[in-house]
Amino acid sequence: MNATDLAVRLLTERPRPRGIAGWRHAHWLAVGTVCLGAFLGQLDASVIALVFPALGRHFDAGFAAVEWVALAYLLVLVALLAPIGWLSDLVGRKTMYIGGFAVFGLSSFGAGFAESLWILVGCRAVQAVGAAMMQANSVALVARGVPEHAMRRALGIQAAAQGLGLALGPSLGGLLVEHASWQWVFWVNVPIAVFGILAGWYLLPRTRTCPTEAVTTTVPEPRGRAPRSRAPHGRGARARSPREPRFDLPGMLLLTGATTALLLALSTASGLPLPGWAVAALLLAAAVLAVALVRQERRAARPILAPGLVNTPGVRSGLVVALIGYLLLFCPLVLGPVRLTGSGVSTAAAGLVVTLLPAAFAVAATVGGGLLSRGWSDVTRCRFGAGLAAAGLLLFAVLPVSAAAVAAPLLVAGYGLGLLLPANNALVMRAIPAECSAVGGGMVNMARSLGTALGMALSVLGVHLAGAASGGRTVLVALSAVAVAAVALTRPASPRSRPAATR
């Protein structure tokens, strides 16, 4: 057996056992398996903020260096979502999803044994590879394995799993740091990942019978040209036409470079030990790379940012609102523990209090919309949610810092964001033509990850410049103003039939 045959055998997806595949409710087992990955990814995203102080003490490092445990994860995630989605079309989504659990579990295990902060950052970057392998395929696996009549309910269950992971992260992180050690924040992922591998192997339906099986996908064309289809190389696939679009590798590298330079500039301004001139140099590099990215995306056959879609009325502003929404969500997740522990609240108690923010977000995102008038449009829900978030963050800034005082503001802010983001995402996806929905969903995911990274970086910058008390208050007041800006940015969706949407 040569290397090619071995690779094909390893990558060929195995069918489910006959007893499971033939059961009429088997699709719910597949949904449950996808929910494991959704839960794990969001748990890891929200738990990490509670570990920053412990990591700083253990590695004798400043806040600006420690935040890269989170930022490295987010940068790799932003960079790999699009290429892994493309690669999954070739090797199979079930294979990639199970592989994501394996990579995530192994890197989590290694992270607990990291002997230096930068080894830990490296483990987190590898962890993000596994997270991207799961995130890029979760919705597609649900769509593949669930009947049309159950699709809405299945996606709602997946959203609830994400909300549960996001809500449990701060409280679990606080308890583990206080009563065990920071290492257990990573080791707790291992049994979930092992269970996910077993569940994926036996419960997910095949998406390929052979990793090189042909598949046709729609490619959104820039500047008004009609979308066209492509099929990958492989056994049984037609030969690739020289004019067929390839993955936009230069665009991915430019996006990663621009984002990394911007976040490094913010970290250097926050105390990362780099020369003083590095801030200006990094900001200049970020600007140059951003301009190069725009030029690359305008001429790419298959752009990762799809300028034609971004320029569609309602999409650009919706992506900005998505970025703002996650910035508003994750800034308090970083600032909350710092402000509360600085006022004498224990780490475990601070984690429980901060949990109120993502818990309210999860409730509002899944069932909270039912409490509003059915006559409210998505635009009205966005504006109302952004207004609640602005009020909650302002109260968090001005009220005394105690567990009892900040509980209500966090609930209000979280509930508002839980109304804002799902309604905004619906507006964005409604403005994008159906044949380009995968590209549009990828851009929403990128906006979410960039907003999360900026939220963490700006929180650390505020604390570094003005201290945990006044710096945190200043950042929260600024966030409240940004939430008001989200109200103004919200626009009705453009009809999908408009020509601009097909670019």
Side-chain angles (χ1 to χ4, degrees):
M1 181 183 294
N2 58 34
T4 301
D5 291 335
L6 178 61
V8 169
R9 174 166 296 198
L10 290 174
L11 294 175
T12 299
E13 296 181 346
R14 304 297 174 187
R16 294 173 291 182
R18 290 184 179 179
I20 294 175
W23 186 42
R24 65 191 182 96
H25 297 300
H27 54 275
W28 292 117
L29 298 177
V31 172
T33 303
V34 172
C35 285
L36 277 175
F39 171 83
L40 187 60
Q42 293 303 308
L43 177 75
D44 201 72
S46 61
V47 75
I48 197 66
L50 271 294
V51 192
F52 285 172
L55 292 177
R57 292 190 297 269
H58 183 85
F59 293 113
D60 191 25
F63 211 173
V66 169
E67 70 171 333
W68 278 90
V69 174
L71 295 182
Y73 177 94
L74 293 167
L75 283 170
V76 173
L77 191 62
V78 169
L80 292 185
L81 279 174
I84 284 180
W86 175 80
L87 184 61
S88 298
D89 282 339
L90 303 181
V91 302
R93 295 190 180 278
K94 176 177 178 176
T95 298
M96 293 295 283
Y97 200 78
I98 295 173
F101 275 119
V103 173
F104 199 95
L106 288 171
S107 55
S108 296
F109 184 73
F113 292 101
E115 296 182 354
S116 74
L117 179 63
W118 299 112
I119 291 177
L120 177 59
V121 169
C123 288
R124 285 282 289 170
V126 177
Q127 200 177 41
V129 176
M133 292 169 73
M134 291 186 285
Q135 279 192 31
N137 293 292
S138 58
V139 173
L141 285 169
V142 172
R144 175 89 179 203
V146 175
E148 182 67 28
H149 67 84
M151 186 69 64
R152 182 183 297 237
R153 185 180 175 194
L155 292 174
I157 292 172
Q158 183 196 9
Q162 291 176 320
L164 181 62
L166 194 65
L168 286 179
S171 55
L172 180 63
L175 290 170
L176 289 174
V177 168
E178 186 157 309
H179 298 293
S181 67
W182 65 263
Q183 287 90 343
W184 280 100
V185 170
F186 301 104
W187 288 338
V188 75
N189 297 328
V190 177
I192 302 174
V194 171
F195 187 69
I197 292 171
L198 295 174
W201 184 267
Y202 289 106
L203 303 181
L204 288 176
R206 286 188 295 181
T207 59
R208 292 283 182 280
T209 55
C210 171
T212 54
E213 184 183 61
V215 59
T216 300
T217 58
T218 301
V219 181
E221 290 289 347
R223 297 297 170 192
R225 285 180 286 174
R228 56 185 174 180
S229 299
R230 66 172 184 85
H233 282 301
R235 231 173 260 176
R238 63 179 173 82
R240 179 188 292 273
S241 165
R243 300 178 65 183
E244 227 165 45
R246 297 177 180 272
F247 176 72
D248 184 18
L249 179 61
M252 185 199 79
L253 295 176
L254 288 169
L255 174 65
T256 305
T259 309
T260 302
L262 175 61
L263 293 175
L264 270 174
L266 292 174
S267 293
T268 303
S270 303
L272 196 68
L274 291 176
W277 51 263
V279 175
L282 287 166
L283 288 174
L284 178 61
V288 171
L289 290 170
V291 171
L293 174 63
V294 171
R295 296 184 64 182
Q296 165 62 23
E297 297 306 275
R298 285 176 175 170
R299 64 173 181 262
R302 190 183 180 182
I304 57 174
L305 295 181
L309 294 181
V310 174
N311 292 331
T312 301
V315 173
R316 181 187 302 172
S317 59
L319 292 175
V320 173
V321 171
L323 184 149
I324 288 174
Y326 281 93
L327 185 152
L328 298 177
L329 179 62
F330 276 86
C331 255
L333 286 179
V334 175
L335 289 174
V338 173
R339 298 188 80 207
L340 287 166
T341 54
S343 299
V345 179
S346 68
T347 302
L352 289 171
V353 173
V354 174
T355 290
L356 296 174
L357 177 74
F361 173 85
V363 170
T366 52
V367 300
L371 301 177
L372 304 178
S373 170
R374 291 187 178 182
W376 282 19
S377 66
D378 283 328
V379 172
T380 303
R381 290 167 185 257
C382 282
R383 291 172 177 170
F384 181 70
L388 284 180
L393 292 169
L394 187 60
L395 288 173
F396 188 18
V398 301
L399 290 177
V401 182
S402 67
V406 304
L410 289 174
L411 283 171
V412 171
Y415 195 85
L417 291 170
L419 296 176
L420 166 67
L421 286 167
N424 177 72
N425 291 348
L427 288 171
V428 173
M429 297 309 294
R430 196 175 296 133
I432 291 173
E435 67 271 14
C436 300
S437 58
V439 179
M443 291 193 296
V444 171
N445 280 332
M446 288 183 191
R448 177 182 65 188
S449 297
L450 290 173
T452 302
L454 285 173
M456 292 185 174
L458 292 173
S459 298
V460 174
L461 178 62
V463 170
H464 173 74
L465 294 178
S470 59
R473 187 181 302 111
T474 301
V475 171
L476 288 168
V477 171
L479 289 178
S480 181
V482 170
V484 173
V487 175
L489 283 169
T490 303
R491 295 285 188 274
S494 172
R496 286 186 173 186
S497 59
R498 291 187 64 163
T502 63
R503 291 177 183 172

